[in-house]
Amino acid sequence: MSALPISTRKPAPAGAHAPGGGGAAARSAAAKGSRLWLAGVVLLGVLGLLALLAPLAGSPYTIHTDSLSADGLPSGVGAPGHPLGTDAIGRDMLARSLHGLRATLIIALVANLTSVGLGAAVGLVAGFYRGWIEQCLMRLVDVFLSIPTVLSGLALASIVGRGTTGIIIVVTALYWAWTARLVHGETVRLRSRGYVEAALAHGVSRLTALRRHVLPHLSTVLLNVAALNGAAVVVVGAGLSYLGAGIQPPTPELGNMLADGSDSMTYAPHTLFVPLVLVIATVLTFVLIAEGLNRRNPLSERRSWLDA
């Protein structure tokens, strides 16, 4: 009887076939993701604390005539009593910036919560129940996705009104469809899994199966969507205020402060750069959180601009 051939090939190391590389690479990506996520959370906490402390900086509406020069120019950064200077008419930039940051964060967090919540609900129902329900809901999603963001935002703002509530409604209407499209695709994928089919075959109601077997698996996706959506909401909300369709002066908001600063940039550049830095920091906060969550997901193979 002939001897069986003996294989001389060494066994593959554990984790060599894991998505995104070996086990060491996966752990390195997860560690980097944890650091990015932590940095984003810390930055968000700092911005939130500054927004909460805004009343301590004084009133954003008080005009300090003594801070203007004889030529009517505002005080610059580091002026006595005004660490960030004053704006073109003598209002304290520190007070206005912190109050404007508070308004921007409120809009971003509330509009993000409502848009992600509405989009997730529509995507879940459409992806799980299928049939005519899916067709109706997804065609509605397609309609909203086909509308230009800026033009529709300006049109909606003229209908629902300007101010905090109006801009939250506008931003929610602009961004819920993106979440619905992504959640719909993930729900369709999970709906075809064997454990979901088995639960339905054993008499579990669709609502129970959706709540117990589908929704928990969407938590990571929803967190990533919420983080990325937050960055977009900040930009769009500030952009609408910059164009005059959001919160109106003299109420401070980073968007309308950018508009005021662009008018006085030639002789008082700090009136533009201070709110611009806060907008960039707020957007960066959500980007870091989203990137960190993505890297902590062991199934993610996506590379980004943050890769070394």
Side-chain angles (χ1 to χ4, degrees):
M1 184 169 58
S2 61
L4 294 176
I6 299 176
S7 175
T8 59
R9 188 172 62 181
K10 296 181 179 180
H17 301 290
R27 288 192 296 271
S28 175
K32 182 178 285 188
S34 297
R35 291 193 296 269
L36 292 173
W37 177 84
L38 182 60
V41 171
V42 170
L43 183 56
L44 181 60
V46 171
L47 293 176
L49 180 61
L50 290 175
L52 289 175
L53 296 178
L56 299 180
S59 172
Y61 306 107
T62 302
I63 298 176
H64 304 274
T65 55
D66 57 339
S67 66
L68 300 176
S69 66
D71 298 329
L73 297 178
S75 300
V77 176
H82 305 287
L84 297 182
T86 58
D87 65 3
I89 62 175
R91 295 173 296 190
D92 184 69
M93 281 296 295
L94 177 61
R96 289 189 63 78
S97 297
L98 295 186
H99 281 84
L101 176 62
R102 170 186 283 192
T104 298
L105 286 178
I106 290 175
I107 291 172
L109 295 177
V110 176
N112 195 23
L113 180 64
T114 54
S115 61
V116 171
L118 177 60
V122 172
L124 280 169
V125 172
F128 195 83
Y129 285 89
R130 312 300 295 273
W132 66 270
I133 296 178
E134 178 186 29
Q135 293 299 319
C136 292
L137 290 178
M138 297 315 295
R139 295 298 77 75
L140 180 63
V141 168
D142 291 338
V143 170
F144 274 84
L145 290 177
S146 66
I147 301 175
T149 302
V150 176
L151 293 179
S152 57
L154 295 174
L156 282 173
S158 64
I159 297 174
V160 301
R162 296 172 174 84
T164 302
T165 303
I167 200 169
I168 288 174
I169 294 174
V170 170
V171 174
T172 300
L174 292 177
Y175 279 96
W176 72 270
W178 297 98
T179 304
R181 172 61 69 185
L182 181 58
V183 172
H184 169 261
E186 289 295 309
T187 304
V188 170
R189 183 178 63 85
L190 293 171
R191 174 69 169 76
S192 61
R193 293 292 179 88
Y195 58 85
V196 178
E197 297 290 348
L200 295 174
H202 282 78
V204 176
S205 67
R206 289 186 176 184
L207 183 60
T208 301
L210 179 64
R211 187 179 69 253
R212 292 183 179 178
H213 303 297
V214 176
L215 188 57
H217 294 279
L218 289 173
S219 57
T220 303
V221 174
L222 291 177
L223 285 174
N224 276 277
V225 170
L228 286 174
N229 202 47
V233 165
V234 171
V235 173
V236 171
L240 291 175
S241 294
Y242 180 87
L243 295 174
I247 297 178
Q248 300 298 300
T251 302
E253 196 270 340
L254 295 182
N256 61 38
M257 289 183 66
L258 287 173
D260 292 340
S262 62
D263 294 335
S264 55
M265 182 181 65
T266 55
Y267 57 88
H270 65 281
T271 59
L272 176 66
F273 292 140
V274 170
L276 180 61
V277 168
L278 289 177
V279 170
I280 293 174
T282 307
V283 172
L284 181 62
T285 293
F286 290 104
V287 171
L288 288 175
I289 293 175
E291 186 66 23
L293 289 171
N294 179 73
R295 288 173 181 267
R296 291 176 65 180
N297 181 6
L299 299 180
S300 176
E301 300 179 9
R302 185 175 64 84
R303 295 178 61 86
S304 75
W305 58 275
L306 288 174
D307 287 316

